[in-house]
Amino acid sequence: MSPEPRPLPVIRLECEGGAPRAVLSGDWTLRLLQPDLDAFGRQLEQATADGAWDLEAVSRLDSFGALLLWRRWGRQRPPGLVLPDRLEPVFARLAELGDSGLPVERGYRFLDGTEGVGRIFFKMLRNAVGFVALIGQLVIDFAHLLHTRGHWPVLETSANFYKVGVRAMPVTALVGFLIGVVLSYLSALQLRAFGADVFIVNILGLGIIRELGPVLVAVLVAGRSGSAMTAQIGVMRVTEEIDALAAMGISPYVRLVLPKVVALTLAMAPLTLWGSAVALFGGMVSANLQLDLSFDYFVNALPRAVPVANLVIGLGKGAVFGLLIALVACYFGLRVKPNTESLSANTTASVVTSITVVILVDAVFAIATRSIGLPR
Amino acid sequence: MSDCPIQVRGLETRFGQTWVHRGIDLVVPAGEVVALVGGSGSGKTTLLRQMVGLLRPNAGAVSLFGEPLFAGSRAEQLERRRRFGMLFQHGALFSALSVFANVAFPLREIGIADDAMLRDLVQLKLAMVELDADVALRMPAELSGGMVKRVALARALALEPELLLLDEPTAGLDPDLSSGFVRLIRALHRALGLTVVLVTHDLDTLAALATRVAVLAEGRILAFGPLDEIMNVQDPFIERFFHGERARAALARGRGMG
């Protein structure tokens, strides 16, 4: 039971005693014109715009077909137009449009580049101010919470701890282990050339516990949990859930931001410990295979090579990184405007900014702790 | 009736343990405005989504323009899809694109690349839904609720559909805006000879627009016909739905809009 096919659009050019005439028939609709649009365009070009046009035999005409003809006619009715009454409204609508056209989007101008640099500068300034304001608001709301003994978001904090800490353990372990193996393998190649095999413990121990472990875990967490936090808060902004909270008199900072910040700060120290431990284990395995260094020796030499202050520095750095990542993620999440473009832009900004901040702060730590915990 | 825009036969739907539709038969004749009404949770929107193939029913079949919805090659299915336009309840405009890009999107997709032609087409569609040309550069987030619906309607009309499906076209609009929108849809229906299927529980809209009403309750079509006939059907649901005090007032208002 296949439906009858519609009559195809046809244009026939005639010459009646020297006067050109175009006779149209069939369905002049988008559906039938579109597959062969170029060919119809060329055929229309051949007809004379101000000659006679006969539309009597056209069975259907939609606004696309009408517009095609209208443009060919130079936005006016040709003098010799034969138009049945039923097609009249379509052209009446086109005539009403006028020729003002749609407003045009401004193109790129030379000075726009300079302007863009200025914009970026002020945007960064605004972000810095906004970030400080977020921290201030958080402190005020927290103080209020202490003062009034309101509802503590313990459950949310615990749920966040599980999400950003426990659930991140497998990926941290995998990446940490592989980095440990690679680092140990590359160092071993160099050390063996000098016969300094045993120093692998010092290199891996100091490097991973003090520097690599915290930064590596922070970068992973920024990509994994920071982006998730931004997206979550961003979507809540889009669906007005944050406004709903505020309307109930509940501070979104206490209920949403605080649990995330506390949970990530608390979770990052143990996660750093876990990541560093697995990375060291990877290094130990690789050293055992590459340099025949026994596990026993490695474990015994580690405390002698790496003073315990390094562990404190490493874990402390982890906690600070966690705090910063969560704050940055929440800040960008709260800035999301209700459209998809803004959501993606802010999630990107969140991850890029938190990784940059982590590395900047790591440099500050390196300078501030340069005389602590290093063997002389 | 081989070229009926929509034919639904023996359609059954189940969500988990709940039966939503238990055998729905409905034929929408060409050129009519059919309103689907029913209590909340009666599966009106679900039925609408099944008509356009966004959801598959558990049993039964939907035919569009005389052919089964999922029949034929990919190209044929695509071709069938382009013959109807759908207006979603919240507009569903692409929020990352401007109004111009939203309306031009389906046209670009079918291969109309000529920029001047696109601009003319978009201007025409915006004029059809009674919007000024200068909204074209705005983003959806900068539009009011009524404007979002109009732009969404312009986008639904972009491919010159023969069938228009409207999901709650007047929900969330104030009475003035919604009567304006109803007038607009009716004018388009007359001008373009469209077949319209709409889901609504706004009796004003129903009385002003629908040439036929399908009442959906207990998983079946309880009654299908012109509003006056439906009003005379003896059924507790129809009794409650159409004969309450508020309902009478709304129906009278809706008729007055004509």
Side-chain angles (χ1 to χ4, degrees):
Chain A
M1 175 186 84
S2 179
E4 245 173 67
R6 301 289 314 171
L8 288 171
V10 173
I11 179 167
R12 208 172 63 241
L13 302 177
E14 294 174 354
C15 226
E16 224 173 69
R21 213 168 103 90
V23 182
L24 274 59
S25 62
D27 273 11
W28 282 73
T29 56
L30 175 65
R31 196 158 77 84
L32 296 180
L33 286 168
Q34 187 265 331
D36 234 350
L37 197 53
D38 290 338
F40 285 113
R42 276 195 301 278
Q43 284 180 12
L44 281 175
E45 284 303 317
Q46 286 166 9
T48 324
D50 48 5
W53 290 76
D54 187 353
L55 269 60
E56 195 64 56
V58 171
S59 45
R60 266 191 206 178
L61 180 72
D62 64 9
S63 47
F64 181 84
L67 188 63
L68 208 62
L69 295 173
W70 190 250
R71 287 166 59 88
R72 178 66 194 103
W73 298 338
R75 297 178 183 280
Q76 56 179 5
R77 293 181 186 218
L81 174 66
V82 181
L83 187 66
D85 283 345
R86 61 199 160 84
L87 299 182
E88 193 64 49
V90 191
F91 287 103
R93 241 192 337 263
L94 281 169
E96 274 169 31
L97 271 189
D99 29 29
S100 51
L102 290 177
V104 186
E105 209 153 347
R106 208 163 51 84
Y108 185 85
R109 288 180 318 187
F110 178 68
L111 274 181
D112 286 358
T114 326
E115 201 186 307
V117 175
R119 270 181 207 286
I120 290 173
F121 174 76
F122 282 110
K123 205 165 124 190
M124 279 169 69
L125 212 64
R126 262 204 309 279
N127 275 339
V129 172
F131 191 67
V132 173
L134 171 74
I135 296 173
Q137 189 67 50
L138 206 54
V139 170
I140 292 171
D141 284 359
F142 187 64
H144 185 72
L145 191 66
L146 284 179
H147 193 67
T148 56
R149 302 190 184 169
H151 171 84
W152 285 81
V154 180
L155 211 61
E156 287 95 326
T157 310
S158 150
N160 273 303
F161 186 90
Y162 176 73
K163 227 168 23 185
V164 299
V166 180
R167 298 277 292 270
M169 281 171 75
V171 67
T172 320
L174 179 69
V175 173
F177 182 80
L178 292 177
I179 294 276
V181 167
V182 170
L183 205 64
S184 171
Y185 172 73
L186 290 176
S187 314
L189 288 180
Q190 306 296 320
L191 289 174
R192 198 153 47 181
F194 297 103
D197 297 14
V198 290
F199 283 104
I200 189 97
V201 183
N202 300 49
I203 292 179
L204 290 182
L206 210 59
I208 287 175
I209 291 173
R210 189 179 167 116
E211 204 55 49
L212 204 58
V215 173
L216 191 70
V217 173
V219 168
L220 274 178
V221 165
R224 184 188 176 277
S225 309
S227 59
M229 284 176 183
T230 307
Q232 193 195 2
I233 295 183
V235 171
M236 290 180 80
R237 177 113 252 172
V238 173
T239 54
E240 295 182 319
E241 286 171 60
I242 292 185
D243 297 336
L245 269 182
M248 290 176 209
I250 298 166
S251 160
Y253 295 95
V254 168
R255 206 40 89 77
L256 287 176
V257 178
L258 192 67
K260 289 185 167 52
V261 172
V262 171
L264 197 57
T265 311
L266 291 179
M268 270 296 279
L271 202 58
T272 305
L273 185 65
W274 162 254
S276 302
V278 178
L280 277 177
F281 175 71
M284 205 157 79
V285 170
S286 179
N288 183 258
L289 295 174
Q290 193 76 19
L291 299 172
D292 284 331
L293 219 58
S294 77
F295 289 162
D296 265 359
Y297 175 79
F298 199 103
V299 172
N300 281 321
L302 196 58
R304 272 181 277 129
V306 187
V308 77
N310 288 293
L311 188 64
V312 176
I313 291 174
L315 298 188
K317 278 208 288 201
V320 173
F321 291 163
L323 177 76
L324 289 169
I325 291 169
L327 283 174
V328 168
C330 292
Y331 171 70
F332 281 105
L334 288 169
R335 270 172 38 107
V336 169
K337 290 191 187 62
N339 64 68
T340 50
E341 195 61 35
S342 166
L343 186 62
S344 81
N346 277 296
T347 312
T348 310
S350 158
V351 175
V352 172
T353 311
S354 49
I355 291 177
T356 314
V357 165
V358 160
I359 289 173
L360 274 178
V361 170
D362 187 56
V364 174
F365 261 104
I367 297 165
T369 61
R370 66 187 180 281
S371 56
I372 306 170
L374 291 176
R376 282 153 211 286
Chain B
M1 301 258 275
S2 67
D3 57 347
C4 272
I6 299 182
Q7 257 177 315
V8 178
R9 229 175 288 116
L11 182 130
E12 293 179 10
T13 315
R14 192 180 57 192
F15 289 136
Q17 292 298 309
T18 341
W19 284 94
V20 182
H21 302 137
R22 301 162 180 269
I24 289 198
D25 294 288
L26 182 66
V27 175
V28 176
E32 299 275 344
V33 181
V34 175
L36 285 173
V37 297
S40 58
S42 60
K44 302 178 299 261
T45 300
T46 308
L47 182 58
L48 198 69
R49 292 173 82 88
Q50 284 165 340
M51 285 175 177
V52 297
L54 290 173
L55 285 174
R56 273 185 193 240
N58 294 72
V62 177
S63 298
L64 281 191
F65 308 107
E67 292 167 316
L69 190 52
F70 293 104
S73 65
R74 255 186 94 86
E76 282 166 11
Q77 289 191 30
L78 204 64
E79 167 82 359
R80 201 169 301 133
R81 248 161 220 284
R82 285 180 178 156
R83 291 175 67 178
F84 62 80
M86 177 147 179
L87 174 69
F88 288 87
Q89 187 172 353
H90 301 288
L93 294 180
F94 304 125
S95 59
L97 302 179
S98 68
V99 167
F100 171 77
N102 259 290
V103 181
F105 187 84
L107 292 163
R108 283 194 174 127
E109 199 65 13
I110 63 164
I112 296 170
D114 178 9
D115 218 38
M117 182 78 189
L118 272 179
R119 301 178 61 79
D120 279 345
L121 277 169
V122 171
Q123 193 192 0
L124 180 63
K125 301 295 162 190
L126 289 180
M128 275 161 104
V129 296
E130 294 163 9
L131 281 174
D132 291 335
D134 51 328
V135 299
L137 294 186
R138 289 214 233 159
M139 300 304 282
E142 301 162 0
L143 300 175
S144 68
M147 285 160 99
V148 166
K149 291 238 162 152
R150 278 164 194 259
V151 175
L153 186 60
R155 188 179 68 179
L157 291 173
L159 292 186
E160 313 283 349
E162 296 151 58
L163 169 67
L164 192 61
L165 299 119
L166 313 169
D167 190 2
E168 299 281 1
T170 52
L173 299 183
D174 69 31
D176 185 36
L177 274 178
S178 74
S179 63
F181 201 68
V182 164
R183 266 197 295 276
L184 175 65
I185 292 172
R186 198 168 37 192
L188 287 172
H189 168 243
R190 282 193 193 137
L192 307 178
L194 298 171
T195 309
V196 181
V197 176
L198 68 144
V199 161
T200 187
H201 45 237
D202 179 15
L203 286 170
D204 294 28
T205 310
L206 178 83
L209 268 182
T211 57
R212 280 169 196 238
V213 178
V215 183
L216 199 63
E218 294 146 25
R220 290 195 174 78
I221 300 283
L222 270 187
F224 180 52
L227 184 56
D228 296 322
E229 272 175 35
I230 299 284
M231 299 280 285
N232 295 328
V233 174
Q234 297 296 319
D235 181 88
F237 175 78
I238 292 176
E239 201 68 20
R240 273 200 312 279
F241 200 85
F242 290 104
H243 293 280
E245 205 173 304
R246 285 164 54 82
R248 281 175 186 282
L251 287 172
R253 263 202 313 279
R255 287 200 171 118
M257 263 189 239

